[in-house]
Amino acid sequence: MHDTKQQWFKDAKFGLFIHFGLYSQLAGEYEGETTPSIAEWIMNTLDIPKTEYRKLAREFNPTDFDADWIAEKAKSWGMKYLVFTSKHHEGFAMYDSKCSDYTSVKASPCHRDFVAELQEACKKNGLKFGVYYSQAQDWDDPDGYMARHDNSHKTYRNYLEGKCFPQLKELLTQYPDISLLWFDTPMGTTAEESKEMIDLVKSINPNVIVSGRVGNGLGDYMTTGDNFIPADPFPGDWEVPATLNDTWGFKKSDDNWKNPDKILQLLLKINSRGGNYLLNIGPDGTGKIPEESIRILDEVGGYVHRNADAVFATRSLPKYPYEVDWCVFTGKPHKFFIHVLSPKTVLEVININMTVKKAYILEDGTEVRVDLETTCEGPHMITVFLPEKYKNAKNYCVCFEIEEETPEFEAIRM
Ligand code: JFZ
């Protein structure tokens, strides 16, 4: 991927994804049937006729959706950006679109513009604001793509010119704070068409970053699949979007919630390899966020908040030559961090070449004694003697202020 000088994105490291739309009301169920797939795909998976699906708009009134509360929470979790579904594959605009009647402002009793509400809330809370826009799949437009269906009779161009391009223009002109356009599932989009979308976006707002899923390798950064994380440091900018259970949109029956310790470990691994983690919440049809998501994010976000210096603006580290399961390293110029994720009485790591000026527990500043020595295991054996309080504790971070810009990981030697 290209280096686009998108500094805020390189520094962000942690963000909040929100999947919210008409599908949220169905909660993964339609006429007594539960979708076997992700909930926001229910129209496609259960083949709900368009005329039936459209009726959902008439009941959409999410009185519990509180943009301010969400943005405040995201900030308290140490997140730096938020991405909201302005239009998902279902085709329903969650903002005041002038070129369609199928919008939350015109077709629903709530008459609300969620993009405007979130833009405002992000501004108040100092978060960068991004919107998801399904540029190829549109299951409501006769010429939009639909996965699992025959698209051969469709004229994609009609959809692009009649809905996609006009809506992109609207989003970028009506909401000047948009900093990221999160495109998705390009399907049959050609390289020329991807380029056209990017040019359109940047002609209105040149500072907007475009996600990798604009298609044809033309995005400003690389997007992986749900929780698929590169095993090694990955050059360029990249992001892992991920769910906290197994669905993006709200699904009543899905209680396969991930372990917060696991999520935290993934976040730190992603950061140490140079990427950002975009964690999803799926509010229900009333706009309420599942309690379990909040519990997980309070825990993960609590750690990030306490250890912000070891997450925000960290840079990709070289690959450490050993398998370690009790800690993850992150780093930034002249700082090296050991995140201790399982209990230890003393910390020992080897083959890290750096000159330590000062070492301390990041969350409370308690200095720790560090021994640097050459042992039979090789040079640069680092031992950290822990204060009583941190012996056998987990989820805390040790910060090393170092002479060098970055530590050097030495190769394994006999
Ligand atoms: C897409 C959407 O279809 C889905 O509904 C959700 O919005 C998600 C964030 O993005 O799903 C994908 C697209 C690409 C991959 C995985 C899920 N991928 O490349 O692995």
Side-chain angles (χ1 to χ4, degrees):
M1 286 292 122
H2 351 230
D3 183 353
T4 51
K5 310 276 178 279
Q6 44 213 16
Q7 199 56 48
W8 74 263
F9 185 82
K10 292 176 193 296
D11 289 343
K13 300 292 138 198
F14 195 29
L16 184 69
F17 213 166
I18 305 174
H19 274 72
F20 192 40
L22 296 180
Y23 47 82
S24 308
Q25 292 177 94
L26 291 180
E29 287 162 26
Y30 184 69
E31 291 184 338
E33 198 180 343
T34 297
T35 176
S37 183
I38 41 183
E40 71 283 5
W41 274 68
I42 193 165
M43 178 181 177
N44 180 298
T45 312
L46 297 187
D47 287 316
I48 304 175
K50 202 164 102 174
T51 45
E52 286 304 304
Y53 194 86
R54 274 190 162 240
K55 290 181 186 159
L56 291 169
R58 296 192 216 146
E59 283 143 45
F60 192 46
N61 190 19
T63 48
D64 288 336
F65 187 88
D66 185 343
D68 280 334
W69 188 85
I70 295 173
E72 277 163 29
K73 270 295 199 185
K75 187 186 177 190
S76 81
W77 293 325
M79 291 167 163
K80 301 293 177 188
Y81 67 119
L82 184 153
V83 180
F84 177 72
T85 47
S86 64
K87 186 206 81 173
H88 204 271
H89 308 329
E90 65 179 0
F92 184 72
M94 295 288 282
Y95 70 96
D96 191 10
S97 175
K98 310 285 196 279
C99 56
S100 164
D101 288 330
Y102 196 38
T103 82
S104 56
V105 177
K106 289 188 233 170
S108 294
C110 64
H111 305 299
R112 283 169 71 177
D113 180 334
F114 299 98
V115 171
E117 291 178 19
L118 282 160
Q119 170 176 260
E120 187 58 33
C122 284
K123 189 184 214 128
K124 265 195 234 160
N125 288 281
L127 299 171
K128 285 282 182 184
F129 180 51
V131 289
Y132 173 110
Y133 186 86
S134 179
Q135 80 278 22
Q137 290 202 70
D138 190 305
W139 305 332
D140 189 70
D141 190 291
D143 288 311
Y145 283 118
M146 187 172 203
R148 287 179 58 255
H149 285 70
D150 178 19
N151 292 299
S152 58
H153 60 287
K154 296 182 175 177
T155 310
Y156 184 44
R157 198 72 213 166
N158 285 347
Y159 157 73
L160 286 181
E161 283 171 13
K163 187 168 180 184
C164 173
F165 294 162
Q167 288 200 326
L168 287 174
K169 272 185 210 155
E170 286 175 340
L171 284 167
L172 293 157
T173 43
Q174 289 171 208
Y175 313 97
D177 289 357
I178 291 177
S179 302
L180 169 62
L181 246 163
W182 218 97
F183 289 111
D184 200 8
T185 66
M187 291 191 67
T189 308
T190 64
E192 289 69 36
E193 287 159 349
S194 297
K195 176 104 184 11
E196 240 181 308
M197 287 171 202
I198 297 170
D199 289 348
L200 184 144
V201 167
K202 308 228 175 197
S203 70
I204 304 175
N205 188 342
N207 296 321
V208 172
I209 304 173
V210 165
S211 74
R213 291 189 195 160
V214 68
N216 303 290
L218 293 171
D220 290 319
Y221 67 87
M222 193 275 284
T223 314
T224 71
D226 187 1
N227 261 328
F228 271 91
I229 82 165
D232 288 331
F234 186 86
D237 299 333
W238 55 280
E239 172 186 66
V240 179
T243 56
L244 297 177
N245 50 359
D246 294 319
T247 177
W248 303 89
F250 177 69
K251 189 174 183 180
K252 207 161 90 186
S253 62
D254 184 344
D255 55 7
N256 192 24
W257 299 100
K258 290 168 189 148
N259 182 310
D261 281 349
K262 193 77 208 157
I263 297 274
L264 175 62
Q265 186 188 42
L266 283 170
L267 167 70
L268 299 170
K269 280 189 182 179
I270 290 164
N271 293 167
S272 75
R273 292 164 201 179
N276 290 352
Y277 205 18
L278 185 64
L279 284 181
N280 182 70
I281 55 172
D284 69 15
T286 70
K288 196 174 159 301
I289 320 293
E291 268 166 37
E292 206 54 15
S293 338
I294 295 171
R295 192 186 64 81
I296 297 170
L297 290 171
D298 276 345
E299 212 168 311
V300 177
Y303 181 91
V304 176
H305 195 82
R306 291 193 299 282
N307 299 285
D309 194 28
V311 172
F312 181 61
T314 53
R315 296 284 170 263
S316 179
L317 281 171
K319 189 177 164 69
Y320 186 59
Y322 295 93
E323 276 288 345
V324 276
D325 54 4
W326 56 271
C327 71
V328 179
F329 305 139
T330 58
K332 60 184 11 168
H334 304 289
K335 278 184 181 169
F336 178 66
F337 305 97
I338 301 182
H339 301 261
V340 184
L341 304 181
S342 358
K344 290 288 227 180
T345 47
V346 66
L347 311 181
E348 287 176 324
V349 284
I350 56 173
N351 291 19
I352 298 178
N353 186 6
M354 60 184 184
T355 316
V356 178
K357 294 196 295 190
K358 195 177 168 193
Y360 49 94
I361 306 283
L362 187 58
E363 66 190 73
D364 63 13
T366 313
E367 284 213 41
V368 294
R369 188 160 70 79
V370 177
D371 259 11
L372 292 161
E373 54 183 337
T374 298
T375 69
C376 47
E377 310 293 336
H380 308 116
M381 159 96 170
I382 299 169
T383 307
V384 179
F385 299 95
L386 294 167
E388 221 36 57
K389 187 176 157 194
Y390 292 94
K391 278 184 189 157
N392 293 315
K394 66 168 187 178
N395 298 353
Y396 63 92
C397 175
V398 184
C399 172
F400 300 84
E401 290 184 6
I402 61 176
E403 294 283 351
E404 299 80 5
E405 178 146 327
T406 39
E408 190 193 333
F409 297 156
E410 295 157 336
I412 296 173
R413 276 179 297 202
M414 295 289 283

